[in-house]
Every structure is written in C-alpha cells, then in structure tokens.
Amino acid sequence: MSETTIDLAQLTGLEMLRLGMTMKDRPPFIGDLLGMEVDMIEQGKVVFTLRTRPDFANPLGSTHGGICATLLDSVMGCAVHSTLDAGVGYSTLELKVNYIRSVPINGQKLTATGTTIHVGRTTATAEGRVVDEQGRLVAHATTTCVILRGNR
C-alpha cells in the first residue's frame, strides 16, 4: 500500500478526473472496456477518442449505436464532472442522442467532445458531438445531470 493516500473527497471534479485518468492503478471505467483514450480534460470540456472494431458490430455490420451513446454519455458527464467542487457528484438523468451516419467497424477513429451548457446548484446540462476521421458528424447529443451535494 502506498504511504501517500489521496482523499478523493477533497479533490475538485477537474482534479479528480485528471488524476484518475493518469493514475497507474486507477479504478476501472467503461473507457477501458471500449478502448477510450483521453485527449483533453479542461473545465467544462472533455475530448475522448476510440477506434471501432469488429466486436462493436450491430446486426447490419456497422458500429452499434450504443458505442456512440456510451462515448457521448462519457464525455458529457465528464464535462459536467470537471466543473464540480470537491465533495460534489453527479448522475445522468436524461440522455438524448441523434445518429447522423453509420460508422464502419474497421478501426475508424471516433472523436467525441463534451461541453457543458449550464451547471446549476441541482442540475447541469451538456452537449456532445462525435466526428469520424474525416471530421464528419456521426452523432450528437444532449444530457441533463443531477448534481449530488455531499453524496458522491
């Protein structure tokens, strides 16, 4: 066990995200399962990427919509998280996704950007976009999150 223990409750959301994404022995998160890479974590804005693969296929042979939905939920939620004070958490209340085009399962790099729209005392909203390697819009979304004060 490390001699230095970090009290996560004392970290702001931005500090927690930055630490969590760079720790050698960080807790697992959905991004590990999907192969998400963290490109940027700033106050109110997050960018993650992933590469499609054959096991992401839907019955038609293209990338399942749940991959983009999970990517969008992750970047929008983390964008909200990055704005929160120490000891404050959040949870997704609502997620609305619009799919624009299908994506092949051949290693296509998808880039998702999540940006906060409004962060209030009890709720926050954010928007997200996923683009392919050519910069074409693949999907976009909005979310509403509940802010959890003192109950992470």
Side-chain angles (χ1 to χ4, degrees):
M1 182 182 276
S2 170
E3 290 182 28
T4 305
T5 302
I6 298 169
D7 183 1
L8 296 178
Q10 300 301 312
L11 300 178
T12 67
L14 183 59
E15 292 167 337
M16 184 184 292
L17 285 170
R18 285 182 173 165
L19 177 66
M21 296 304 175
T22 59
M23 287 173 58
K24 182 180 178 184
D25 295 323
R26 67 175 164 72
F29 83 114
I30 189 69
D32 293 334
L33 182 64
L34 298 181
M36 286 184 205
E37 297 288 331
V38 177
D39 286 9
M40 182 182 77
I41 299 174
E42 297 296 335
Q43 180 89 15
K45 185 174 182 180
V46 174
V47 179
F48 293 171
T49 57
L50 64 71
R51 291 210 173 265
T52 63
R53 56 188 200 235
D55 59 338
F56 288 176
N58 62 26
L60 299 174
S62 59
T63 299
H64 190 282
I67 300 299
C68 283
T70 301
L71 191 53
L72 286 160
D73 188 38
S74 297
V75 294
M76 292 185 300
C78 287
V80 168
H81 192 175
S82 73
T83 67
L84 301 179
D85 293 332
V88 179
Y90 76 97
S91 184
T92 301
L93 282 175
E94 178 267 342
L95 175 68
K96 166 69 169 90
V97 180
N98 291 286
Y99 299 99
I100 306 303
R101 63 176 28 92
S102 65
V103 179
I105 55 171
N106 63 353
Q108 178 83 215
K109 182 179 179 181
L110 298 178
T111 301
T113 303
T115 309
T116 56
I117 299 169
H118 166 79
V119 180
R121 180 154 176 76
T122 59
T123 61
T125 57
E127 60 190 1
R129 296 171 52 89
V130 176
V131 297
D132 65 13
E133 290 176 339
Q134 292 76 41
R136 297 178 302 181
L137 186 64
V138 169
H140 60 96
T142 56
T143 191
T144 303
C145 296
V146 63
I147 306 299
L148 306 169
R149 299 196 177 274
N151 298 349
R152 259 215 263 233

mmCIF file with all atom_site columns, all heavy atoms in Angstrom, residues 46-74:
data_model
loop_
_atom_site.group_PDB
_atom_site.id
_atom_site.type_symbol
_atom_site.label_atom_id
_atom_site.label_alt_id
_atom_site.label_comp_id
_atom_site.label_asym_id
_atom_site.label_entity_id
_atom_site.label_seq_id
_atom_site.pdbx_PDB_ins_code
_atom_site.Cartn_x
_atom_site.Cartn_y
_atom_site.Cartn_z
_atom_site.occupancy
_atom_site.B_iso_or_equiv
_atom_site.pdbx_formal_charge
_atom_site.auth_seq_id
_atom_site.auth_comp_id
_atom_site.auth_asym_id
_atom_site.auth_atom_id
_atom_site.pdbx_PDB_model_num
ATOM 1   N N   . VAL A 1 46 ? -14.402 18.166 -22.413 1.00 0.00 ? 46 VAL A N   1
ATOM 2   C CA  . VAL A 1 46 ? -13.669 16.907 -22.397 1.00 0.00 ? 46 VAL A CA  1
ATOM 3   C C   . VAL A 1 46 ? -13.668 16.336 -23.812 1.00 0.00 ? 46 VAL A C   1
ATOM 4   O O   . VAL A 1 46 ? -14.671 16.434 -24.529 1.00 0.00 ? 46 VAL A O   1
ATOM 5   C CB  . VAL A 1 46 ? -14.345 15.913 -21.422 1.00 0.00 ? 46 VAL A CB  1
ATOM 6   C CG1 . VAL A 1 46 ? -13.714 14.549 -21.491 1.00 0.00 ? 46 VAL A CG1 1
ATOM 7   C CG2 . VAL A 1 46 ? -14.293 16.441 -19.999 1.00 0.00 ? 46 VAL A CG2 1
ATOM 8   N N   . VAL A 1 47 ? -12.537 15.738 -24.210 1.00 0.00 ? 47 VAL A N   1
ATOM 9   C CA  . VAL A 1 47 ? -12.434 15.074 -25.515 1.00 0.00 ? 47 VAL A CA  1
ATOM 10  C C   . VAL A 1 47 ? -11.866 13.669 -25.304 1.00 0.00 ? 47 VAL A C   1
ATOM 11  O O   . VAL A 1 47 ? -10.800 13.521 -24.710 1.00 0.00 ? 47 VAL A O   1
ATOM 12  C CB  . VAL A 1 47 ? -11.531 15.863 -26.490 1.00 0.00 ? 47 VAL A CB  1
ATOM 13  C CG1 . VAL A 1 47 ? -11.418 15.135 -27.832 1.00 0.00 ? 47 VAL A CG1 1
ATOM 14  C CG2 . VAL A 1 47 ? -12.030 17.287 -26.682 1.00 0.00 ? 47 VAL A CG2 1
ATOM 15  N N   . PHE A 1 48 ? -12.609 12.663 -25.782 1.00 0.00 ? 48 PHE A N   1
ATOM 16  C CA  . PHE A 1 48 ? -12.168 11.266 -25.757 1.00 0.00 ? 48 PHE A CA  1
ATOM 17  C C   . PHE A 1 48 ? -12.209 10.736 -27.183 1.00 0.00 ? 48 PHE A C   1
ATOM 18  O O   . PHE A 1 48 ? -13.021 11.180 -28.001 1.00 0.00 ? 48 PHE A O   1
ATOM 19  C CB  . PHE A 1 48 ? -13.106 10.383 -24.930 1.00 0.00 ? 48 PHE A CB  1
ATOM 20  C CG  . PHE A 1 48 ? -13.144 10.646 -23.452 1.00 0.00 ? 48 PHE A CG  1
ATOM 21  C CD1 . PHE A 1 48 ? -14.107 10.014 -22.686 1.00 0.00 ? 48 PHE A CD1 1
ATOM 22  C CD2 . PHE A 1 48 ? -12.259 11.481 -22.808 1.00 0.00 ? 48 PHE A CD2 1
ATOM 23  C CE1 . PHE A 1 48 ? -14.186 10.217 -21.318 1.00 0.00 ? 48 PHE A CE1 1
ATOM 24  C CE2 . PHE A 1 48 ? -12.319 11.703 -21.439 1.00 0.00 ? 48 PHE A CE2 1
ATOM 25  C CZ  . PHE A 1 48 ? -13.292 11.055 -20.687 1.00 0.00 ? 48 PHE A CZ  1
ATOM 26  N N   . THR A 1 49 ? -11.344 9.760  -27.475 1.00 0.00 ? 49 THR A N   1
ATOM 27  C CA  . THR A 1 49 ? -11.367 9.091  -28.772 1.00 0.00 ? 49 THR A CA  1
ATOM 28  C C   . THR A 1 49 ? -11.415 7.581  -28.553 1.00 0.00 ? 49 THR A C   1
ATOM 29  O O   . THR A 1 49 ? -11.080 7.080  -27.475 1.00 0.00 ? 49 THR A O   1
ATOM 30  C CB  . THR A 1 49 ? -10.121 9.422  -29.616 1.00 0.00 ? 49 THR A CB  1
ATOM 31  O OG1 . THR A 1 49 ? -8.946  9.054  -28.889 1.00 0.00 ? 49 THR A OG1 1
ATOM 32  C CG2 . THR A 1 49 ? -10.070 10.903 -29.974 1.00 0.00 ? 49 THR A CG2 1
ATOM 33  N N   . LEU A 1 50 ? -11.837 6.878  -29.593 1.00 0.00 ? 50 LEU A N   1
ATOM 34  C CA  . LEU A 1 50 ? -11.731 5.423  -29.614 1.00 0.00 ? 50 LEU A CA  1
ATOM 35  C C   . LEU A 1 50 ? -11.684 4.972  -31.056 1.00 0.00 ? 50 LEU A C   1
ATOM 36  O O   . LEU A 1 50 ? -12.036 5.718  -31.968 1.00 0.00 ? 50 LEU A O   1
ATOM 37  C CB  . LEU A 1 50 ? -12.861 4.737  -28.839 1.00 0.00 ? 50 LEU A CB  1
ATOM 38  C CG  . LEU A 1 50 ? -14.326 4.850  -29.276 1.00 0.00 ? 50 LEU A CG  1
ATOM 39  C CD1 . LEU A 1 50 ? -14.645 4.087  -30.544 1.00 0.00 ? 50 LEU A CD1 1
ATOM 40  C CD2 . LEU A 1 50 ? -15.211 4.327  -28.166 1.00 0.00 ? 50 LEU A CD2 1
ATOM 41  N N   . ARG A 1 51 ? -11.222 3.751  -31.255 1.00 0.00 ? 51 ARG A N   1
ATOM 42  C CA  . ARG A 1 51 ? -11.208 3.148  -32.592 1.00 0.00 ? 51 ARG A CA  1
ATOM 43  C C   . ARG A 1 51 ? -12.255 2.046  -32.635 1.00 0.00 ? 51 ARG A C   1
ATOM 44  O O   . ARG A 1 51 ? -12.373 1.250  -31.703 1.00 0.00 ? 51 ARG A O   1
ATOM 45  C CB  . ARG A 1 51 ? -9.832  2.574  -32.907 1.00 0.00 ? 51 ARG A CB  1
ATOM 46  C CG  . ARG A 1 51 ? -8.813  3.674  -33.082 1.00 0.00 ? 51 ARG A CG  1
ATOM 47  C CD  . ARG A 1 51 ? -7.716  3.263  -34.047 1.00 0.00 ? 51 ARG A CD  1
ATOM 48  N NE  . ARG A 1 51 ? -6.854  4.394  -34.330 1.00 0.00 ? 51 ARG A NE  1
ATOM 49  C CZ  . ARG A 1 51 ? -6.979  5.201  -35.372 1.00 0.00 ? 51 ARG A CZ  1
ATOM 50  N NH1 . ARG A 1 51 ? -7.931  4.997  -36.257 1.00 0.00 ? 51 ARG A NH1 1
ATOM 51  N NH2 . ARG A 1 51 ? -6.156  6.203  -35.555 1.00 0.00 ? 51 ARG A NH2 1
ATOM 52  N N   . THR A 1 52 ? -13.014 2.041  -33.723 1.00 0.00 ? 52 THR A N   1
ATOM 53  C CA  . THR A 1 52 ? -14.023 0.994  -33.883 1.00 0.00 ? 52 THR A CA  1
ATOM 54  C C   . THR A 1 52 ? -13.318 -0.343 -34.101 1.00 0.00 ? 52 THR A C   1
ATOM 55  O O   . THR A 1 52 ? -12.152 -0.389 -34.498 1.00 0.00 ? 52 THR A O   1
ATOM 56  C CB  . THR A 1 52 ? -14.965 1.300  -35.057 1.00 0.00 ? 52 THR A CB  1
ATOM 57  O OG1 . THR A 1 52 ? -14.217 1.312  -36.282 1.00 0.00 ? 52 THR A OG1 1
ATOM 58  C CG2 . THR A 1 52 ? -15.685 2.626  -34.856 1.00 0.00 ? 52 THR A CG2 1
ATOM 59  N N   . ARG A 1 53 ? -14.054 -1.406 -33.828 1.00 0.00 ? 53 ARG A N   1
ATOM 60  C CA  . ARG A 1 53 ? -13.504 -2.749 -34.015 1.00 0.00 ? 53 ARG A CA  1
ATOM 61  C C   . ARG A 1 53 ? -14.655 -3.720 -34.294 1.00 0.00 ? 53 ARG A C   1
ATOM 62  O O   . ARG A 1 53 ? -15.820 -3.394 -34.022 1.00 0.00 ? 53 ARG A O   1
ATOM 63  C CB  . ARG A 1 53 ? -12.659 -3.163 -32.823 1.00 0.00 ? 53 ARG A CB  1
ATOM 64  C CG  . ARG A 1 53 ? -13.359 -3.103 -31.502 1.00 0.00 ? 53 ARG A CG  1
ATOM 65  C CD  . ARG A 1 53 ? -12.370 -3.358 -30.370 1.00 0.00 ? 53 ARG A CD  1
ATOM 66  N NE  . ARG A 1 53 ? -13.077 -3.755 -29.178 1.00 0.00 ? 53 ARG A NE  1
ATOM 67  C CZ  . ARG A 1 53 ? -12.955 -3.151 -28.004 1.00 0.00 ? 53 ARG A CZ  1
ATOM 68  N NH1 . ARG A 1 53 ? -12.124 -2.141 -27.864 1.00 0.00 ? 53 ARG A NH1 1
ATOM 69  N NH2 . ARG A 1 53 ? -13.630 -3.582 -26.967 1.00 0.00 ? 53 ARG A NH2 1
ATOM 70  N N   . PRO A 1 54 ? -14.347 -4.880 -34.829 1.00 0.00 ? 54 PRO A N   1
ATOM 71  C CA  . PRO A 1 54 ? -15.405 -5.819 -35.222 1.00 0.00 ? 54 PRO A CA  1
ATOM 72  C C   . PRO A 1 54 ? -16.383 -6.188 -34.104 1.00 0.00 ? 54 PRO A C   1
ATOM 73  O O   . PRO A 1 54 ? -17.570 -6.384 -34.382 1.00 0.00 ? 54 PRO A O   1
ATOM 74  C CB  . PRO A 1 54 ? -14.627 -7.043 -35.713 1.00 0.00 ? 54 PRO A CB  1
ATOM 75  C CG  . PRO A 1 54 ? -13.343 -6.460 -36.232 1.00 0.00 ? 54 PRO A CG  1
ATOM 76  C CD  . PRO A 1 54 ? -13.020 -5.337 -35.277 1.00 0.00 ? 54 PRO A CD  1
ATOM 77  N N   . ASP A 1 55 ? -15.926 -6.250 -32.853 1.00 0.00 ? 55 ASP A N   1
ATOM 78  C CA  . ASP A 1 55 ? -16.864 -6.628 -31.791 1.00 0.00 ? 55 ASP A CA  1
ATOM 79  C C   . ASP A 1 55 ? -17.798 -5.490 -31.397 1.00 0.00 ? 55 ASP A C   1
ATOM 80  O O   . ASP A 1 55 ? -18.638 -5.658 -30.512 1.00 0.00 ? 55 ASP A O   1
ATOM 81  C CB  . ASP A 1 55 ? -16.152 -7.222 -30.569 1.00 0.00 ? 55 ASP A CB  1
ATOM 82  C CG  . ASP A 1 55 ? -15.138 -6.317 -29.926 1.00 0.00 ? 55 ASP A CG  1
ATOM 83  O OD1 . ASP A 1 55 ? -14.633 -5.392 -30.598 1.00 0.00 ? 55 ASP A OD1 1
ATOM 84  O OD2 . ASP A 1 55 ? -14.825 -6.529 -28.743 1.00 0.00 ? 55 ASP A OD2 1
ATOM 85  N N   . PHE A 1 56 ? -17.719 -4.347 -32.068 1.00 0.00 ? 56 PHE A N   1
ATOM 86  C CA  . PHE A 1 56 ? -18.677 -3.244 -31.881 1.00 0.00 ? 56 PHE A CA  1
ATOM 87  C C   . PHE A 1 56 ? -19.848 -3.370 -32.862 1.00 0.00 ? 56 PHE A C   1
ATOM 88  O O   . PHE A 1 56 ? -20.728 -2.517 -32.899 1.00 0.00 ? 56 PHE A O   1
ATOM 89  C CB  . PHE A 1 56 ? -18.021 -1.892 -32.136 1.00 0.00 ? 56 PHE A CB  1
ATOM 90  C CG  . PHE A 1 56 ? -17.047 -1.431 -31.089 1.00 0.00 ? 56 PHE A CG  1
ATOM 91  C CD1 . PHE A 1 56 ? -16.343 -0.250 -31.285 1.00 0.00 ? 56 PHE A CD1 1
ATOM 92  C CD2 . PHE A 1 56 ? -16.825 -2.134 -29.917 1.00 0.00 ? 56 PHE A CD2 1
ATOM 93  C CE1 . PHE A 1 56 ? -15.446 0.216  -30.336 1.00 0.00 ? 56 PHE A CE1 1
ATOM 94  C CE2 . PHE A 1 56 ? -15.925 -1.681 -28.964 1.00 0.00 ? 56 PHE A CE2 1
ATOM 95  C CZ  . PHE A 1 56 ? -15.231 -0.503 -29.178 1.00 0.00 ? 56 PHE A CZ  1
ATOM 96  N N   . ALA A 1 57 ? -19.878 -4.422 -33.668 1.00 0.00 ? 57 ALA A N   1
ATOM 97  C CA  . ALA A 1 57 ? -20.844 -4.525 -34.762 1.00 0.00 ? 57 ALA A CA  1
ATOM 98  C C   . ALA A 1 57 ? -22.282 -4.718 -34.291 1.00 0.00 ? 57 ALA A C   1
ATOM 99  O O   . ALA A 1 57 ? -22.550 -5.424 -33.328 1.00 0.00 ? 57 ALA A O   1
ATOM 100 C CB  . ALA A 1 57 ? -20.469 -5.683 -35.684 1.00 0.00 ? 57 ALA A CB  1
ATOM 101 N N   . ASN A 1 58 ? -23.186 -4.079 -35.019 1.00 0.00 ? 58 ASN A N   1
ATOM 102 C CA  . ASN A 1 58 ? -24.618 -4.342 -34.875 1.00 0.00 ? 58 ASN A CA  1
ATOM 103 C C   . ASN A 1 58 ? -24.974 -5.444 -35.881 1.00 0.00 ? 58 ASN A C   1
ATOM 104 O O   . ASN A 1 58 ? -24.101 -5.892 -36.640 1.00 0.00 ? 58 ASN A O   1
ATOM 105 C CB  . ASN A 1 58 ? -25.434 -3.052 -35.079 1.00 0.00 ? 58 ASN A CB  1
ATOM 106 C CG  . ASN A 1 58 ? -25.278 -2.458 -36.462 1.00 0.00 ? 58 ASN A CG  1
ATOM 107 O OD1 . ASN A 1 58 ? -24.981 -3.150 -37.437 1.00 0.00 ? 58 ASN A OD1 1
ATOM 108 N ND2 . ASN A 1 58 ? -25.484 -1.160 -36.563 1.00 0.00 ? 58 ASN A ND2 1
ATOM 109 N N   . PRO A 1 59 ? -26.229 -5.899 -35.943 1.00 0.00 ? 59 PRO A N   1
ATOM 110 C CA  . PRO A 1 59 ? -26.587 -6.963 -36.889 1.00 0.00 ? 59 PRO A CA  1
ATOM 111 C C   . PRO A 1 59 ? -26.358 -6.614 -38.365 1.00 0.00 ? 59 PRO A C   1
ATOM 112 O O   . PRO A 1 59 ? -26.261 -7.496 -39.201 1.00 0.00 ? 59 PRO A O   1
ATOM 113 C CB  . PRO A 1 59 ? -28.075 -7.205 -36.613 1.00 0.00 ? 59 PRO A CB  1
ATOM 114 C CG  . PRO A 1 59 ? -28.248 -6.800 -35.195 1.00 0.00 ? 59 PRO A CG  1
ATOM 115 C CD  . PRO A 1 59 ? -27.336 -5.615 -35.012 1.00 0.00 ? 59 PRO A CD  1
ATOM 116 N N   . LEU A 1 60 ? -26.253 -5.316 -38.682 1.00 0.00 ? 60 LEU A N   1
ATOM 117 C CA  . LEU A 1 60 ? -26.022 -4.902 -40.065 1.00 0.00 ? 60 LEU A CA  1
ATOM 118 C C   . LEU A 1 60 ? -24.544 -4.802 -40.417 1.00 0.00 ? 60 LEU A C   1
ATOM 119 O O   . LEU A 1 60 ? -24.191 -4.512 -41.551 1.00 0.00 ? 60 LEU A O   1
ATOM 120 C CB  . LEU A 1 60 ? -26.711 -3.553 -40.324 1.00 0.00 ? 60 LEU A CB  1
ATOM 121 C CG  . LEU A 1 60 ? -28.226 -3.567 -40.144 1.00 0.00 ? 60 LEU A CG  1
ATOM 122 C CD1 . LEU A 1 60 ? -28.788 -2.154 -40.271 1.00 0.00 ? 60 LEU A CD1 1
ATOM 123 C CD2 . LEU A 1 60 ? -28.870 -4.506 -41.142 1.00 0.00 ? 60 LEU A CD2 1
ATOM 124 N N   . GLY A 1 61 ? -23.667 -4.987 -39.411 1.00 0.00 ? 61 GLY A N   1
ATOM 125 C CA  . GLY A 1 61 ? -22.236 -4.970 -39.677 1.00 0.00 ? 61 GLY A CA  1
ATOM 126 C C   . GLY A 1 61 ? -21.560 -3.630 -39.516 1.00 0.00 ? 61 GLY A C   1
ATOM 127 O O   . GLY A 1 61 ? -20.374 -3.498 -39.812 1.00 0.00 ? 61 GLY A O   1
ATOM 128 N N   . SER A 1 62 ? -22.274 -2.630 -39.061 1.00 0.00 ? 62 SER A N   1
ATOM 129 C CA  . SER A 1 62 ? -21.638 -1.336 -38.774 1.00 0.00 ? 62 SER A CA  1
ATOM 130 C C   . SER A 1 62 ? -21.569 -1.166 -37.253 1.00 0.00 ? 62 SER A C   1
ATOM 131 O O   . SER A 1 62 ? -22.077 -1.989 -36.497 1.00 0.00 ? 62 SER A O   1
ATOM 132 C CB  . SER A 1 62 ? -22.408 -0.192 -39.435 1.00 0.00 ? 62 SER A CB  1
ATOM 133 O OG  . SER A 1 62 ? -23.735 -0.145 -38.975 1.00 0.00 ? 62 SER A OG  1
ATOM 134 N N   . THR A 1 63 ? -20.939 -0.083 -36.811 1.00 0.00 ? 63 THR A N   1
ATOM 135 C CA  . THR A 1 63 ? -20.774 0.146  -35.374 1.00 0.00 ? 63 THR A CA  1
ATOM 136 C C   . THR A 1 63 ? -22.128 0.344  -34.698 1.00 0.00 ? 63 THR A C   1
ATOM 137 O O   . THR A 1 63 ? -22.943 1.155  -35.154 1.00 0.00 ? 63 THR A O   1
ATOM 138 C CB  . THR A 1 63 ? -19.866 1.371  -35.133 1.00 0.00 ? 63 THR A CB  1
ATOM 139 O OG1 . THR A 1 63 ? -18.582 1.100  -35.709 1.00 0.00 ? 63 THR A OG1 1
ATOM 140 C CG2 . THR A 1 63 ? -19.691 1.657  -33.655 1.00 0.00 ? 63 THR A CG2 1
ATOM 141 N N   . HIS A 1 64 ? -22.353 -0.398 -33.641 1.00 0.00 ? 64 HIS A N   1
ATOM 142 C CA  . HIS A 1 64 ? -23.600 -0.319 -32.870 1.00 0.00 ? 64 HIS A CA  1
ATOM 143 C C   . HIS A 1 64 ? -23.764 1.090  -32.298 1.00 0.00 ? 64 HIS A C   1
ATOM 144 O O   . HIS A 1 64 ? -22.802 1.702  -31.826 1.00 0.00 ? 64 HIS A O   1
ATOM 145 C CB  . HIS A 1 64 ? -23.553 -1.343 -31.734 1.00 0.00 ? 64 HIS A CB  1
ATOM 146 C CG  . HIS A 1 64 ? -24.850 -1.510 -31.028 1.00 0.00 ? 64 HIS A CG  1
ATOM 147 N ND1 . HIS A 1 64 ? -25.311 -0.608 -30.101 1.00 0.00 ? 64 HIS A ND1 1
ATOM 148 C CD2 . HIS A 1 64 ? -25.788 -2.482 -31.126 1.00 0.00 ? 64 HIS A CD2 1
ATOM 149 C CE1 . HIS A 1 64 ? -26.480 -1.020 -29.649 1.00 0.00 ? 64 HIS A CE1 1
ATOM 150 N NE2 . HIS A 1 64 ? -26.800 -2.154 -30.250 1.00 0.00 ? 64 HIS A NE2 1
ATOM 151 N N   . GLY A 1 65 ? -24.979 1.605  -32.318 1.00 0.00 ? 65 GLY A N   1
ATOM 152 C CA  . GLY A 1 65 ? -25.266 2.943  -31.806 1.00 0.00 ? 65 GLY A CA  1
ATOM 153 C C   . GLY A 1 65 ? -24.932 3.108  -30.334 1.00 0.00 ? 65 GLY A C   1
ATOM 154 O O   . GLY A 1 65 ? -24.649 4.215  -29.878 1.00 0.00 ? 65 GLY A O   1
ATOM 155 N N   . GLY A 1 66 ? -24.950 2.016  -29.592 1.00 0.00 ? 66 GLY A N   1
ATOM 156 C CA  . GLY A 1 66 ? -24.613 2.085  -28.176 1.00 0.00 ? 66 GLY A CA  1
ATOM 157 C C   . GLY A 1 66 ? -23.171 2.512  -27.924 1.00 0.00 ? 66 GLY A C   1
ATOM 158 O O   . GLY A 1 66 ? -22.862 3.066  -26.869 1.00 0.00 ? 66 GLY A O   1
ATOM 159 N N   . ILE A 1 67 ? -22.295 2.282  -28.884 1.00 0.00 ? 67 ILE A N   1
ATOM 160 C CA  . ILE A 1 67 ? -20.901 2.719  -28.747 1.00 0.00 ? 67 ILE A CA  1
ATOM 161 C C   . ILE A 1 67 ? -20.849 4.243  -28.740 1.00 0.00 ? 67 ILE A C   1
ATOM 162 O O   . ILE A 1 67 ? -20.233 4.845  -27.860 1.00 0.00 ? 67 ILE A O   1
ATOM 163 C CB  . ILE A 1 67 ? -20.016 2.130  -29.867 1.00 0.00 ? 67 ILE A CB  1
ATOM 164 C CG1 . ILE A 1 67 ? -20.036 0.598  -29.828 1.00 0.00 ? 67 ILE A CG1 1
ATOM 165 C CG2 . ILE A 1 67 ? -18.603 2.697  -29.807 1.00 0.00 ? 67 ILE A CG2 1
ATOM 166 C CD1 . ILE A 1 67 ? -19.506 -0.028 -28.549 1.00 0.00 ? 67 ILE A CD1 1
ATOM 167 N N   . CYS A 1 68 ? -21.516 4.875  -29.707 1.00 0.00 ? 68 CYS A N   1
ATOM 168 C CA  . CYS A 1 68 ? -21.552 6.340  -29.741 1.00 0.00 ? 68 CYS A CA  1
ATOM 169 C C   . CYS A 1 68 ? -22.298 6.892  -28.529 1.00 0.00 ? 68 CYS A C   1
ATOM 170 O O   . CYS A 1 68 ? -21.896 7.910  -27.955 1.00 0.00 ? 68 CYS A O   1
ATOM 171 C CB  . CYS A 1 68 ? -22.183 6.848  -31.033 1.00 0.00 ? 68 CYS A CB  1
ATOM 172 S SG  . CYS A 1 68 ? -21.077 6.762  -32.439 1.00 0.00 ? 68 CYS A SG  1
ATOM 173 N N   . ALA A 1 69 ? -23.375 6.224  -28.119 1.00 0.00 ? 69 ALA A N   1
ATOM 174 C CA  . ALA A 1 69 ? -24.140 6.689  -26.962 1.00 0.00 ? 69 ALA A CA  1
ATOM 175 C C   . ALA A 1 69 ? -23.278 6.653  -25.696 1.00 0.00 ? 69 ALA A C   1
ATOM 176 O O   . ALA A 1 69 ? -23.296 7.587  -24.889 1.00 0.00 ? 69 ALA A O   1
ATOM 177 C CB  . ALA A 1 69 ? -25.401 5.852  -26.775 1.00 0.00 ? 69 ALA A CB  1
ATOM 178 N N   . THR A 1 70 ? -22.512 5.579  -25.534 1.00 0.00 ? 70 THR A N   1
ATOM 179 C CA  . THR A 1 70 ? -21.643 5.469  -24.366 1.00 0.00 ? 70 THR A CA  1
ATOM 180 C C   . THR A 1 70 ? -20.528 6.504  -24.417 1.00 0.00 ? 70 THR A C   1
ATOM 181 O O   . THR A 1 70 ? -20.198 7.130  -23.410 1.00 0.00 ? 70 THR A O   1
ATOM 182 C CB  . THR A 1 70 ? -21.050 4.047  -24.267 1.00 0.00 ? 70 THR A CB  1
ATOM 183 O OG1 . THR A 1 70 ? -22.129 3.121  -24.178 1.00 0.00 ? 70 THR A OG1 1
ATOM 184 C CG2 . THR A 1 70 ? -20.145 3.901  -23.067 1.00 0.00 ? 70 THR A CG2 1
ATOM 185 N N   . LEU A 1 71 ? -19.968 6.701  -25.584 1.00 0.00 ? 71 LEU A N   1
ATOM 186 C CA  . LEU A 1 71 ? -18.932 7.717  -25.766 1.00 0.00 ? 71 LEU A CA  1
ATOM 187 C C   . LEU A 1 71 ? -19.485 9.099  -25.436 1.00 0.00 ? 71 LEU A C   1
ATOM 188 O O   . LEU A 1 71 ? -18.862 9.882  -24.698 1.00 0.00 ? 71 LEU A O   1
ATOM 189 C CB  . LEU A 1 71 ? -18.418 7.645  -27.205 1.00 0.00 ? 71 LEU A CB  1
ATOM 190 C CG  . LEU A 1 71 ? -17.178 8.411  -27.608 1.00 0.00 ? 71 LEU A CG  1
ATOM 191 C CD1 . LEU A 1 71 ? -16.003 8.126  -26.703 1.00 0.00 ? 71 LEU A CD1 1
ATOM 192 C CD2 . LEU A 1 71 ? -16.827 8.078  -29.052 1.00 0.00 ? 71 LEU A CD2 1
ATOM 193 N N   . LEU A 1 72 ? -20.673 9.407  -25.928 1.00 0.00 ? 72 LEU A N   1
ATOM 194 C CA  . LEU A 1 72 ? -21.301 10.699 -25.650 1.00 0.00 ? 72 LEU A CA  1
ATOM 195 C C   . LEU A 1 72 ? -21.654 10.863 -24.176 1.00 0.00 ? 72 LEU A C   1
ATOM 196 O O   . LEU A 1 72 ? -21.405 11.923 -23.581 1.00 0.00 ? 72 LEU A O   1
ATOM 197 C CB  . LEU A 1 72 ? -22.544 10.884 -26.524 1.00 0.00 ? 72 LEU A CB  1
ATOM 198 C CG  . LEU A 1 72 ? -22.247 11.188 -27.990 1.00 0.00 ? 72 LEU A CG  1
ATOM 199 C CD1 . LEU A 1 72 ? -23.453 10.883 -28.857 1.00 0.00 ? 72 LEU A CD1 1
ATOM 200 C CD2 . LEU A 1 72 ? -21.800 12.642 -28.147 1.00 0.00 ? 72 LEU A CD2 1
ATOM 201 N N   . ASP A 1 73 ? -22.230 9.842  -23.560 1.00 0.00 ? 73 ASP A N   1
ATOM 202 C CA  . ASP A 1 73 ? -22.555 9.901  -22.143 1.00 0.00 ? 73 ASP A CA  1
ATOM 203 C C   . ASP A 1 73 ? -21.292 10.145 -21.323 1.00 0.00 ? 73 ASP A C   1
ATOM 204 O O   . ASP A 1 73 ? -21.298 10.919 -20.362 1.00 0.00 ? 73 ASP A O   1
ATOM 205 C CB  . ASP A 1 73 ? -23.251 8.609  -21.706 1.00 0.00 ? 73 ASP A CB  1
ATOM 206 C CG  . ASP A 1 73 ? -23.801 8.670  -20.293 1.00 0.00 ? 73 ASP A CG  1
ATOM 207 O OD1 . ASP A 1 73 ? -24.320 9.731  -19.880 1.00 0.00 ? 73 ASP A OD1 1
ATOM 208 O OD2 . ASP A 1 73 ? -23.727 7.644  -19.597 1.00 0.00 ? 73 ASP A OD2 1
ATOM 209 N N   . SER A 1 74 ? -20.195 9.516  -21.723 1.00 0.00 ? 74 SER A N   1
ATOM 210 C CA  . SER A 1 74 ? -18.927 9.666  -21.002 1.00 0.00 ? 74 SER A CA  1
ATOM 211 C C   . SER A 1 74 ? -18.375 11.087 -21.104 1.00 0.00 ? 74 SER A C   1
ATOM 212 O O   . SER A 1 74 ? -18.013 11.682 -20.087 1.00 0.00 ? 74 SER A O   1
ATOM 213 C CB  . SER A 1 74 ? -17.902 8.664  -21.537 1.00 0.00 ? 74 SER A CB  1
ATOM 214 O OG  . SER A 1 74 ? -18.330 7.349  -21.303 1.00 0.00 ? 74 SER A OG  1
#
